[in-house]
C-alpha cells in the first residue's frame, strides 16, 4: 500500500479498504521482471502518444523508475522479459478495431516496415528508449514476439516465462489501463503471481477518463501486490 503523502489524492489507496491482504512474498528463484512496451512512442516527448500520456508518465517518474527496475533486476540475476508492441503494414489492413486501435493505426504508433526489416527502426517510435538498450540488448534479456492489441495472448510471453521456471511476475511498463492490465489479467488466469509496480506505469488522461485511476482500481482487485519501485528495489536488493 502506498503511504506517500505526495501521491495525488485520486491515486492513494483507500484508508478503510475491505479487500483482504494477500500474503505475497517475492521469491527470486522463480521471479521475473516483465516490462511492457518500453518504447519511444509511449515514453518520450518525441512519441506520438505523448500528448495523451505525458502528464501521467512525468507525474509517476516512469522513465526513471523503469531504468531502476532494469538495473536492480539484472543485479539480482532474475529473468528480464520484454513484451513489445509492433505494427507491420499487414496489420494496417485489418477490417475492424476498437477506438484506440484505430487511433494507434491512424498516428502510426509502433510502426515497422516488416517483421524482418529494421530499416528506419533505430530511434523510431517503435524502438526501445535509448537508456534501456544496455539492459535489453545485453544478450540475456528475453524479447518476446509482439503483442498486437493489449494482452499477451498473441505473443510468446507465457511460453518464455514457463520455460524459465518463472511463476512470479513483477509487472511494469505501458499503458496502465490497457496493455499492463490486460497482461495482468491473462497472467493471473495462467496461474502466475503478479505484483504491479504502480509508479513504473502510466496511462492516457483524456476527456473519456483517467486511465491511470481506472487501472489502479482494478489492480487493487486483481494483483497479488501493488508496490512502488522503492518497495520492489528493497526486495531485489535484500535477497
Amino acid at each position: 500500500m502506498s503511504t506517500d503523502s505526495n501521491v495525488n489524492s485520486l491515486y492513494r489507496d483507500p484508508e478503510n479498504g475491505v479487500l483482504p491482504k494477500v500474503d505475497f512474498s517475492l521469491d527470486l528463484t522463480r521471479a521475473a521482471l516483465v516490462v511492457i512496451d518500453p518504447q519511444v512512442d509511449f515514453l518520450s516527448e518525441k512519441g506520438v502518444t505523448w500528448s495523451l500520456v505525458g502528464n501521467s508518465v512525468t507525474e509517476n517518474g516512469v522513465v526513471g523508475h523503469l531504468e531502476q527496475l532494469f538495473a536492480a533486476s539484472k543485479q539480482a540475476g532474475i529473468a528480464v522479459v520484454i513484451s513489445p508492441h509492433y505494427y507491420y503494414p499487414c496489420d494496417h489492413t485489418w477490417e475492424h478495431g476498437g477506438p484506440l486501435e484505430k487511433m494507434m493505426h491512424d498516428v502510426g504508433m509502433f510502426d515497422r516496415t516488416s517483421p524482418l526489416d529494421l530499416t528506419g527502426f533505430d530511434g523510431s517510435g517503435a524502438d526501445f528508449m535509448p537508456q534501456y538498450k544496455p539492459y535489453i540488448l545485453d544478450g540475456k534479456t528475453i524479447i518476446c514476439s509482439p503483442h498486437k492489441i493489449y494482452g499477451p495472448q498473441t505473443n510468446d510471453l507465457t511460453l518464455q516465462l514457463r520455460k524459465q521456471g518463472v511463476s512470479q511476475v513483477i509487472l511494469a511498463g505501458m499503458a496502465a489501463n490497457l496493455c499492463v492490465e490486460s497482461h495482468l489479467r491473462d497472467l493471473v488466469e495462467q496461474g502466475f503471481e503478479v505484483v504491479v509496480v504502480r509508479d513504473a506505469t502510466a496511462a492516457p488522461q483524456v476527456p473519456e477518463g483517467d486511465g491511470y485511476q481506472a487501472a489502479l482500481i482494478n489492480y487493487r482487485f486483481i494483483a497479488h501486490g501493488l508496490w512502488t519501485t522503492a518497495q520492489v528495489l528493497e526486495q531485489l536488493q535484500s535477497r
Side-chain angles (χ1 to χ4, degrees):
M1 178 174 291
S2 174
T3 58
D4 188 350
S5 60
N6 295 321
V7 171
N8 186 320
S9 60
L10 288 173
Y11 307 142
R12 291 176 188 159
D13 289 329
E15 293 183 0
N16 300 307
V18 300
L19 295 174
K21 292 183 179 180
V22 174
D23 185 20
F24 176 83
S25 179
L26 199 61
D27 180 353
L28 298 190
T29 66
R30 54 191 183 94
L33 172 69
V34 174
V35 180
I36 303 163
D37 301 349
Q39 294 162 263
V40 169
D41 269 342
F42 259 145
L43 295 172
S44 169
E45 294 179 4
K46 299 177 182 178
V48 296
T49 65
W50 190 252
S51 64
L52 306 179
V53 303
N55 287 340
S56 185
V57 169
T58 302
E59 184 176 21
N60 287 344
V62 174
V63 174
H65 288 149
L66 284 175
E67 186 167 10
Q68 288 180 295
L69 291 172
F70 277 125
S73 297
K74 291 293 184 179
Q75 184 65 35
I78 67 171
V80 176
V81 186
I82 307 299
S83 181
H85 204 152
Y86 302 128
Y87 284 129
Y88 309 124
C90 62
D91 301 321
H92 288 278
T93 66
W94 292 351
E95 294 184 0
H96 57 83
L100 191 64
E101 288 179 74
K102 176 173 171 47
M103 188 215 76
M104 289 192 289
H105 288 299
D106 287 347
V107 300
M109 189 175 184
F110 300 137
D111 272 359
R112 285 179 50 180
T113 54
S114 87
L116 303 178
D117 187 355
L118 292 176
T119 301
F121 176 73
D122 188 39
S124 71
D127 199 2
F128 300 124
M129 290 285 283
Q131 56 266 61
Y132 305 152
K133 288 186 179 182
Y135 306 106
I136 297 175
L137 305 180
D138 65 351
K140 299 178 181 179
T141 294
I142 299 165
I143 304 174
C144 296
S145 56
H147 60 275
K148 285 297 178 178
I149 303 180
Y150 307 121
Q153 295 89 343
T154 53
N155 75 356
D156 61 335
L157 174 64
T158 301
L159 172 67
Q160 295 289 352
L161 293 174
R162 296 293 191 204
K163 290 290 191 179
Q164 296 291 329
V166 169
S167 59
Q168 293 186 341
V169 170
I170 303 165
L171 192 63
M174 294 292 287
N177 62 318
L178 299 164
C179 298
V180 175
E181 184 175 322
S182 293
H183 278 65
L184 166 64
R185 289 175 179 273
D186 191 72
L187 289 168
V188 168
E189 295 282 2
Q190 294 290 338
F192 292 89
E193 294 179 288
V194 185
V195 57
V196 179
V197 192
R198 64 189 301 151
D199 57 359
T201 185
Q205 296 170 323
V206 294
E208 287 81 354
D210 184 340
Y212 184 66
Q213 183 183 26
L216 286 178
I217 293 169
N218 287 335
Y219 294 165
R220 294 183 187 114
F221 280 84
I222 300 170
H224 296 84
L226 182 55
W227 294 356
T228 63
T229 298
Q231 289 174 301
V232 176
L233 296 182
E234 182 179 1
Q235 291 285 316
L236 292 175
Q237 295 167 353
S238 65
R239 304 298 177 94

